[in-house]
């Protein structure tokens, strides 16, 4: 039965080609998967990066605080009010976006140490009571450092930074 035989060998060839292409496709998908695996590996890393770093947020808080202090010292009401608003917004952002960090209840610590010293500054600033605002700002900076100690970061000691302008910015009021 040569016809059957040749038929079956043709079938065999077809089957082998089919098998090989399935194998090839599979190899391809495996390489793709491996590549995807890499991007998947990047996934979690990226997700971690997407969680804001507390140190970055603190750095922003520090910058705004310092600019606020310089504007306050220059008795520039408009600018000091603007930067203090940013200080407050940064602190609120930390509470909302980084409520926990390294096992510390950051949101609770912020409410405990930071919140009580914010209003007094806002109040005296609104009244343009420069002397009082300056004193309350020092209290606020003390609160920053108290929280650093409470969260095992007492080595980060911030200061108001009055009369230390490292910025390429003039803080004096407009004429
Ligand atoms: C919830 C308590 C808490 C309060 C309130 C707080 N901090 Fe922090 N701060 C931390 C912790 C915790 C770290 C360490 C973050 C880390 O390990 O990434 C930190 C780190 C920092 C750093 C180091 C990061 C950097 O960019 O150099 C600075 C500066 C800083 N804080 C400034 C401030 C200032 C200014 C204030 C007040 C306006 C303040 N912090 C209020 C808890 C606090």
């Amino acid at each position: 039965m040569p016809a059957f035989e040749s038929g079956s060998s043709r079938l065999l060839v077809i089957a082998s080609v089919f098998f090989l292409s399935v194998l090839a496709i599979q190899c391809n998908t495996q390489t793709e998967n491996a590549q995807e695996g890499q991007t998947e590996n990047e996934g979690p890393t990226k997700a971690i990066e997407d969680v804001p770093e507390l140190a970055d947020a603190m750095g922003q808080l520090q910058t705004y605080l310092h600019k606020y202090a310089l504007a306050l010292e220059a008795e520039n009401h408009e600018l000091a009010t603007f930067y203090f608003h940013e200080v407050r917004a940064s602190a609120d952002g930390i509470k909302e976006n980084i409520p926990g960090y390294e096992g510390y209840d950051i949101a609770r610590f912020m409410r405990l140490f930071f919140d009580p010293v914010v209003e007094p500054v806002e109040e005296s600033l609104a009244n343009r009571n420069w002397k009082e605002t300056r004193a309350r700002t020092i209290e606020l900076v003390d609160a920053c450092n108290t929280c650093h100690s409470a969260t095992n970061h007492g080595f980060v000691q911030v200061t108001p930074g009055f009369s230390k302008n490292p910025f390429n910015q003039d803080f004096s009021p407009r004429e």
Side-chain angles (χ1 to χ4, degrees):
M1 303 205 252
F4 176 68
E5 255 179 49
S6 75
S8 79
S9 61
R10 202 182 305 149
L11 256 182
L12 199 74
V13 168
I14 291 171
S16 317
V17 166
F18 179 72
F19 177 74
L20 281 175
S21 30
V22 165
L23 202 74
I25 289 167
Q26 212 163 33
C27 281
N28 258 347
T29 2
Q30 260 166 13
T31 353
E32 271 166 30
N33 279 352
Q35 277 161 1
E36 263 170 36
Q38 273 178 2
T39 43
E40 264 167 31
N41 277 347
E42 275 166 30
T45 325
K46 194 168 180 300
I48 287 163
E49 281 166 7
D50 283 345
V51 173
E53 261 292 327
L54 183 57
D56 292 344
M58 284 288 162
Q60 192 187 48
L61 186 61
Q62 179 191 31
T63 304
Y64 285 138
L65 179 82
H66 191 189
K67 288 193 168 197
Y68 151 75
L70 291 168
L72 173 69
E73 182 150 69
E75 302 195 351
N76 186 341
H77 186 258
E78 190 182 24
L79 195 63
T81 305
F82 168 75
Y83 281 128
F84 198 73
H85 177 84
E86 297 304 328
V87 166
R88 198 178 179 156
S90 297
D92 287 345
I94 291 171
K95 272 186 264 177
E96 214 169 287
N97 303 320
I98 320 172
Y101 194 81
E102 287 179 0
Y104 290 106
D105 189 341
I106 296 299
R108 193 174 141 261
F109 276 118
M110 292 292 291
R111 281 196 298 272
L112 204 68
F113 296 111
F114 196 71
D115 287 3
V117 289
V118 170
E119 289 270 331
V121 171
E122 272 177 346
E123 228 177 78
S124 56
L125 182 62
N127 295 329
R128 293 169 197 252
N129 188 338
W130 305 115
K131 213 172 147 232
E132 185 79 22
T133 312
R134 196 181 162 109
R136 289 174 173 181
T137 299
I138 292 168
E139 279 171 25
L140 182 136
V141 173
D142 286 345
C144 303
N145 291 322
T146 306
C147 195
H148 290 161
S149 296
T151 53
N152 214 18
H153 283 80
F155 48 87
V156 181
Q157 288 192 54
V158 287
T159 63
F162 292 131
S163 21
K164 287 182 185 144
N165 183 3
F167 302 106
N168 52 342
Q169 186 175 348
D170 182 355
F171 290 86
S172 54
R174 289 182 293 186
E175 296 305 309

